Amino acid sequence: MSVTLHTGENCHLTNSNVISGPAIRRAGRQTVVFERPPVIVGRMSVVGDKEGKGPLGKYFRKVEKDVKLGEKTFEKAEMRMLETAIEGAILDSGLSMRDVQMLISGDLLNQLTSSSYVARSLNMPHLGLYSACSTMTESLALASCMINAGYFDTIACATVSHFATAERQYRFPLEYGCQRPPYAQWTVTGAGCSVLSDRGEGVRITAATFGKVIDFGTTDLNNMGAAMAPAALNTLTVMLEETDTKPEDYDLILTGDLGKLGSDILRDLMTEQGYFLGSNYIDCGNMIYAVDQNCYQGGSGAGCSASIVNSFVIDKMLAGQYHKVAYLATGALMSPQSCYQGESIPCISHAVIMEV
């Protein structure tokens, strides 16, 4: 059948589930390939002192020595960090605030507190997203769709997390001093922002795979890696199938944030599906802290992969060390109330393919 577009052009739907149009191509049920791939023209990463002392410390654009950033509360510190990341990315792009037509952002706090409070001072349209630790890839995927379709030409995508705010919302008051189990992760104090544009040179987002909510029955709030690994499995296998690629076609496959345990589980699950994840696979939670920092299974939090991608990963891509990267952030979509009531943890993973 034929569908007439407003432009007068025809878009043909075929039984192969491929939509041919002026700007968009569906590679399958969950994957979109962009005919006009948006470019990351500006970026910024901000982290706390603990993260700055880790293996990637030299790559982060800004390291905050004061965990409260001079503010009275940890929540206000998180807002300050997010605002710094957004303003820094826009400055890096060479654009002004007025040039950015949309802000897409999210965080881990109830009712997207940090994102909403920061957006009120930036005077630009705002879409607030909650996808837990997968917020960065969801925002990049949505922004890419909107730019590719021609509705916007410049969008800022950002997210943030703070150890102290997330810890007392999801687990225990900081003063309680609870002992962590060995399979736990450490919420990263960090923020990242990418400015996407329909013009410019640099790293392009060429495709996006939107994930499904997956729940394998994990109920332990500390065991995020085991809870999220099946969601990463689902999205990664769908992305490979619908783009007709193999793991070895990518210079880097990056998840965030499964930690050591979760990434080991993902490797085993992928092997069962007939895929081998070799040395080109790594998890952001594994990268951000050193072993002697006593963070157990590594880092987590919406700011973990966002800060790493907007520093280390894109640095390496622009230097020619990586040419094609699959970035899959993973999120646990529970609330404190749902887990206290005995519910299991639903999880999701969204993926974007980044190319130079």
Side-chain angles (χ1 to χ4, degrees):
M1 68 177 176
S2 175
V3 179
T4 302
L5 304 177
H6 292 297
T7 60
E9 300 177 77
N10 286 332
C11 175
H12 300 287
L13 306 185
T14 68
N15 290 333
S16 63
N17 199 29
V18 176
I19 302 177
S20 303
I24 190 169
R25 179 166 62 87
R26 287 277 297 280
R29 185 180 180 189
Q30 295 172 236
T31 303
V32 177
V33 177
F34 303 117
E35 302 293 340
R36 295 194 291 262
V39 186
I40 299 175
V41 295
R43 58 199 169 92
M44 180 66 174
S45 57
V46 186
V47 298
D49 184 56
K50 187 180 184 73
E51 292 71 22
K53 292 177 179 176
L56 303 181
K58 65 181 181 180
Y59 293 98
F60 298 123
R61 295 289 182 89
K62 188 171 185 179
V63 177
E64 298 285 359
K65 300 298 183 182
D66 177 12
V67 72
K68 283 190 174 180
L69 282 71
E71 300 289 345
K72 292 183 178 180
T73 67
F74 294 119
E75 285 74 16
K76 287 187 176 181
E78 182 172 312
M79 295 174 202
R80 171 71 69 84
M81 194 162 49
L82 177 60
E83 189 168 17
T84 299
I86 295 169
E87 292 175 345
I90 294 173
L91 181 65
D92 183 58
S93 71
L95 302 172
S96 69
M97 285 285 184
R98 293 180 61 86
D99 295 324
V100 179
Q101 299 169 324
M102 174 72 72
L103 169 65
I104 303 179
S105 67
D107 56 84
L108 300 180
L109 300 190
N110 290 336
Q111 289 79 50
L112 297 179
T113 303
S114 296
S115 294
S116 299
Y117 277 67
V118 168
R120 72 179 178 182
S121 65
L122 295 180
N123 193 32
M124 64 179 70
H126 176 237
L127 290 177
L129 296 182
Y130 185 80
S131 195
C133 301
S134 64
T135 298
M136 193 67 208
T137 45
E138 183 176 7
S139 65
L140 291 172
L142 287 174
S144 296
C145 288
M146 296 163 75
I147 292 174
N148 180 77
Y151 295 119
F152 296 87
D153 56 46
T154 307
I155 299 176
C157 304
T159 190
V160 64
S161 58
H162 193 296
F163 169 78
T165 63
E167 190 70 11
R168 65 184 178 190
Q169 174 171 295
Y170 286 101
R171 295 181 180 91
F172 300 100
L174 298 177
E175 299 83 358
Y176 182 63
C178 178
Q179 176 64 44
R180 291 169 168 270
Y183 49 81
Q185 294 168 246
W186 189 278
T187 303
V188 166
T189 298
C193 179
S194 304
V195 177
L196 272 57
S197 176
D198 63 352
R199 60 182 68 89
E201 298 295 329
V203 176
R204 295 179 178 272
I205 297 178
T206 57
T209 300
F210 293 93
K212 295 180 179 179
V213 176
I214 306 295
D215 187 345
F216 271 30
T218 301
T219 58
D220 190 340
L221 274 171
N222 287 292
N223 202 354
M224 292 292 95
M228 295 187 294
L233 166 75
N234 183 269
T235 299
L236 181 53
T237 53
V238 168
M239 184 200 76
L240 294 173
E241 291 167 3
E242 295 187 345
T243 59
D244 193 23
T245 57
K246 303 179 293 297
E248 52 266 32
D249 293 330
Y250 299 88
D251 299 299
L252 179 68
I253 296 176
L254 187 74
T255 54
D257 312 286
L258 301 178
K260 178 63 170 65
L261 175 61
S263 57
D264 287 345
I265 292 173
L266 177 61
R267 285 182 184 274
D268 291 342
L269 293 174
M270 289 293 289
T271 300
E272 291 177 3
Q273 298 298 315
Y275 295 101
F276 173 71
L277 295 182
S279 59
N280 64 334
Y281 166 63
I282 195 168
D283 181 77
C284 291
N286 277 346
M287 300 169 66
I288 198 161
Y289 297 124
V291 174
D292 60 4
Q293 288 183 285
N294 298 319
C295 293
Y296 299 87
Q297 298 299 321
S300 66
C304 182
S305 68
S307 60
I308 291 175
V309 167
N310 284 293
S311 56
F312 173 82
V313 174
I314 296 181
D315 281 359
K316 296 295 185 183
M317 295 186 76
L318 294 178
Q321 296 184 38
Y322 301 142
H323 299 283
K324 188 172 185 177
V325 174
Y327 167 34
L328 302 92
T330 56
L333 305 178
M334 78 291 184
S335 73
Q337 288 73 27
S338 63
C339 286
Y340 295 155
Q341 293 169 8
E343 288 283 350
S344 55
I345 302 172
C347 299
I348 197 165
S349 175
H350 302 291
V352 292
I353 297 175
M354 305 162 63
E355 299 185 52
V356 178

